[in-house]
Amino acid sequence: MARVPTVTGMVEADQLGTTLIHEHLRNSDEAVHNQWPIAGAVKEDKPYEVSPDQVFEIAVREAKAAVDLGIETIGEPTAMFLGRDVEFMRRVSEETGLQVIPCTGIYTYDYLPQFFMNRDPDQIAELFVHDVEQGIQGTDIKAAFIKCAADEPGVNENIEKVHRAAARASVRTGAPIMAHSRPASNTGPRQVEIFLEEGVEPGKIQIAHTGDTDDLDYIEGLLEKGVWIGLDRYGLDIFLPYEKRQQTAKALLERGYADRIFLSADSVATTDWFPPNIIDGLIASGAAHDWNIRMVPERVLPELRDWGLTEEQERTMMVENPVRWLTG
Ligand SMILES: [Zn+2]
């Protein structure tokens, strides 16, 4: 049996158990955080502004809530620009028993710092390979997968460069790729195309946030390439309402795609992306109602079971797919 890196060490793949593939224990901009340590982090419920100690406590609280609901492992896709900190993840994991699978990569929709503007994809790939083979941020905690992103600006020059770097690091190390996508901007097909051009096996490619659309033609167009898809933003009604997400999941399950799907929420225990008044507005408007790490085990899966999700389909999505994606 292959082994998978977590923030507390390598584990046998069959020990991952029930896994949410896409949940964040913290989300903060590392540059802002470094330059203005006084800048507050923010969470969804009141009080919104929290201290660094509270950021840790809230991550522990959310991770514990997931464990209590039967979740054994999360994929933690917090890469560069989202405030990746594997020591923070390790502390949360040790405190709660939740296994946490870290990543390497760059999370950007467009911008790249001069450091990356002046380097080519192979030079960027070197850094990703280092995290996979040597360890992250001076630790011996190794990255299990490689993250990149495309969003509203599309797959422009900078985004293509990061995708090619991710692909080359994947080919060199065997680590799979998780690519944030934006169906509304039709990014998925081009992202897959770049990975395949670079020689990445389709089974190593996960197109995250595919569930932000209910366009089954778009989704099946990706699935036909042999890649994984994330129905991974349950609770983010701002991109697609909950009921439409569930209808899409059911339609795909009926068409036999349980072995290609991940269910998750893309939750953040805390975030500094928005000031409190914006968070207030998002919650009041229902744009991010019940968006948290508990969403899938507490609501999505029970509803799908009532609808007719079989134990086998559930085991495929929640236990076997993570192993197959991570270990090839
Ligand atoms: Zn995410």
Side-chain angles (χ1 to χ4, degrees), residues 22-24 77 82 107 147 180 209 233 266-267:
H22 196 135
E23 310 292 343
H24 302 268
L82 285 173
Y107 178 86
K147 179 88 183 286
H180 165 114
H209 313 330
R233 278 178 153 180
D266 193 14
S267 68

mmCIF file of all heavy atoms in Angstrom, residues 22-24 77 82 107 147 180 209 233 266-267, ligand 1:
data_model
loop_
_atom_site.group_PDB
_atom_site.id
_atom_site.type_symbol
_atom_site.label_atom_id
_atom_site.label_comp_id
_atom_site.label_asym_id
_atom_site.label_seq_id
_atom_site.Cartn_x
_atom_site.Cartn_y
_atom_site.Cartn_z
ATOM 1 N N HIS A 22 -11.187 19.126 0.314
ATOM 2 C CA HIS A 22 -10.904 20.552 0.095
ATOM 3 C C HIS A 22 -11.487 21.417 1.219
ATOM 4 O O HIS A 22 -12.605 21.927 1.122
ATOM 5 C CB HIS A 22 -11.500 20.973 -1.257
ATOM 6 C CG HIS A 22 -10.968 22.281 -1.774
ATOM 7 N ND1 HIS A 22 -10.568 22.464 -3.075
ATOM 8 C CD2 HIS A 22 -10.762 23.471 -1.167
ATOM 9 C CE1 HIS A 22 -10.148 23.701 -3.250
ATOM 10 N NE2 HIS A 22 -10.260 24.348 -2.099
ATOM 11 N N GLU A 23 -10.722 21.551 2.309
ATOM 12 C CA GLU A 23 -11.131 22.409 3.434
ATOM 13 C C GLU A 23 -9.898 23.144 3.954
ATOM 14 O O GLU A 23 -8.824 22.553 4.065
ATOM 15 C CB GLU A 23 -11.755 21.584 4.575
ATOM 16 C CG GLU A 23 -12.853 20.615 4.151
ATOM 17 C CD GLU A 23 -14.144 21.274 3.661
ATOM 18 O OE1 GLU A 23 -14.338 22.477 3.936
ATOM 19 O OE2 GLU A 23 -14.942 20.589 2.992
ATOM 20 N N HIS A 24 -10.074 24.427 4.283
ATOM 21 C CA HIS A 24 -8.954 25.242 4.766
ATOM 22 C C HIS A 24 -9.056 25.491 6.269
ATOM 23 O O HIS A 24 -10.098 25.923 6.748
ATOM 24 C CB HIS A 24 -8.940 26.605 4.055
ATOM 25 C CG HIS A 24 -8.833 26.520 2.563
ATOM 26 N ND1 HIS A 24 -7.617 26.549 1.910
ATOM 27 C CD2 HIS A 24 -9.770 26.400 1.597
ATOM 28 C CE1 HIS A 24 -7.823 26.466 0.595
ATOM 29 N NE2 HIS A 24 -9.118 26.371 0.381
ATOM 30 N N PRO A 77 -5.786 22.645 0.900
ATOM 31 C CA PRO A 77 -5.190 23.232 -0.308
ATOM 32 C C PRO A 77 -4.731 24.684 -0.125
ATOM 33 O O PRO A 77 -4.783 25.470 -1.059
ATOM 34 C CB PRO A 77 -6.329 23.152 -1.328
ATOM 35 C CG PRO A 77 -7.554 22.785 -0.572
ATOM 36 C CD PRO A 77 -7.234 22.726 0.873
ATOM 37 N N LEU A 82 -2.344 32.149 0.165
ATOM 38 C CA LEU A 82 -3.477 31.877 1.057
ATOM 39 C C LEU A 82 -2.996 31.751 2.504
ATOM 40 O O LEU A 82 -3.769 31.452 3.397
ATOM 41 C CB LEU A 82 -4.203 30.593 0.637
ATOM 42 C CG LEU A 82 -5.083 30.694 -0.615
ATOM 43 C CD1 LEU A 82 -5.608 29.315 -1.012
ATOM 44 C CD2 LEU A 82 -6.251 31.653 -0.400
ATOM 45 N N TYR A 107 -1.440 30.075 -5.362
ATOM 46 C CA TYR A 107 -2.853 30.394 -5.566
ATOM 47 C C TYR A 107 -2.956 31.841 -6.052
ATOM 48 O O TYR A 107 -2.863 32.781 -5.279
ATOM 49 C CB TYR A 107 -3.614 30.224 -4.251
ATOM 50 C CG TYR A 107 -5.076 30.565 -4.316
ATOM 51 C CD1 TYR A 107 -6.016 29.613 -4.710
ATOM 52 C CD2 TYR A 107 -5.537 31.830 -3.977
ATOM 53 C CE1 TYR A 107 -7.366 29.913 -4.761
ATOM 54 C CE2 TYR A 107 -6.892 32.143 -4.030
ATOM 55 C CZ TYR A 107 -7.793 31.179 -4.413
ATOM 56 O OH TYR A 107 -9.121 31.478 -4.460
ATOM 57 N N LYS A 147 -1.043 22.649 -5.998
ATOM 58 C CA LYS A 147 -2.214 23.495 -6.207
ATOM 59 C C LYS A 147 -1.900 24.598 -7.213
ATOM 60 O O LYS A 147 -0.813 25.172 -7.212
ATOM 61 C CB LYS A 147 -2.586 24.135 -4.857
ATOM 62 C CG LYS A 147 -3.774 25.078 -4.876
ATOM 63 C CD LYS A 147 -5.065 24.339 -4.650
ATOM 64 C CE LYS A 147 -6.267 25.288 -4.748
ATOM 65 N NZ LYS A 147 -6.386 26.167 -3.571
ATOM 66 N N HIS A 180 -7.832 24.921 -8.909
ATOM 67 C CA HIS A 180 -9.009 25.778 -8.708
ATOM 68 C C HIS A 180 -9.484 26.244 -10.091
ATOM 69 O O HIS A 180 -8.671 26.661 -10.917
ATOM 70 C CB HIS A 180 -8.582 26.966 -7.837
ATOM 71 C CG HIS A 180 -9.524 28.126 -7.789
ATOM 72 N ND1 HIS A 180 -10.188 28.502 -6.634
ATOM 73 C CD2 HIS A 180 -9.895 29.028 -8.738
ATOM 74 C CE1 HIS A 180 -10.938 29.571 -6.890
ATOM 75 N NE2 HIS A 180 -10.776 29.918 -8.152
ATOM 76 N N HIS A 209 -13.886 22.971 -7.880
ATOM 77 C CA HIS A 209 -14.982 23.937 -8.055
ATOM 78 C C HIS A 209 -15.783 23.720 -9.338
ATOM 79 O O HIS A 209 -16.529 24.592 -9.764
ATOM 80 C CB HIS A 209 -14.485 25.395 -7.987
ATOM 81 C CG HIS A 209 -13.568 25.653 -6.834
ATOM 82 N ND1 HIS A 209 -13.655 24.951 -5.650
ATOM 83 C CD2 HIS A 209 -12.530 26.512 -6.680
ATOM 84 C CE1 HIS A 209 -12.712 25.371 -4.826
ATOM 85 N NE2 HIS A 209 -12.013 26.319 -5.418
ATOM 86 N N ARG A 233 -17.957 23.127 -3.068
ATOM 87 C CA ARG A 233 -18.230 24.439 -2.474
ATOM 88 C C ARG A 233 -19.654 24.504 -1.926
ATOM 89 O O ARG A 233 -20.323 25.536 -2.028
ATOM 90 C CB ARG A 233 -17.995 25.555 -3.497
ATOM 91 C CG ARG A 233 -16.519 25.935 -3.594
ATOM 92 C CD ARG A 233 -16.323 26.998 -4.637
ATOM 93 N NE ARG A 233 -15.164 27.821 -4.366
ATOM 94 C CZ ARG A 233 -14.785 28.827 -5.153
ATOM 95 N NH1 ARG A 233 -15.475 29.118 -6.246
ATOM 96 N NH2 ARG A 233 -13.733 29.542 -4.868
ATOM 97 N N ASP A 266 -14.941 23.599 0.685
ATOM 98 C CA ASP A 266 -13.983 24.701 0.514
ATOM 99 C C ASP A 266 -14.140 25.711 1.646
ATOM 100 O O ASP A 266 -14.034 26.918 1.436
ATOM 101 C CB ASP A 266 -14.178 25.372 -0.868
ATOM 102 C CG ASP A 266 -13.026 26.302 -1.228
ATOM 103 O OD1 ASP A 266 -11.969 26.242 -0.572
ATOM 104 O OD2 ASP A 266 -13.188 27.100 -2.180
ATOM 105 N N SER A 267 -14.409 25.195 2.850
ATOM 106 C CA SER A 267 -14.619 26.095 3.981
ATOM 107 C C SER A 267 -13.287 26.696 4.433
ATOM 108 O O SER A 267 -12.212 26.171 4.127
ATOM 109 C CB SER A 267 -15.232 25.321 5.151
ATOM 110 O OG SER A 267 -14.299 24.386 5.665
HETATM 111 ZN ZN ZN B 1 -10.064 26.327 -1.546
#
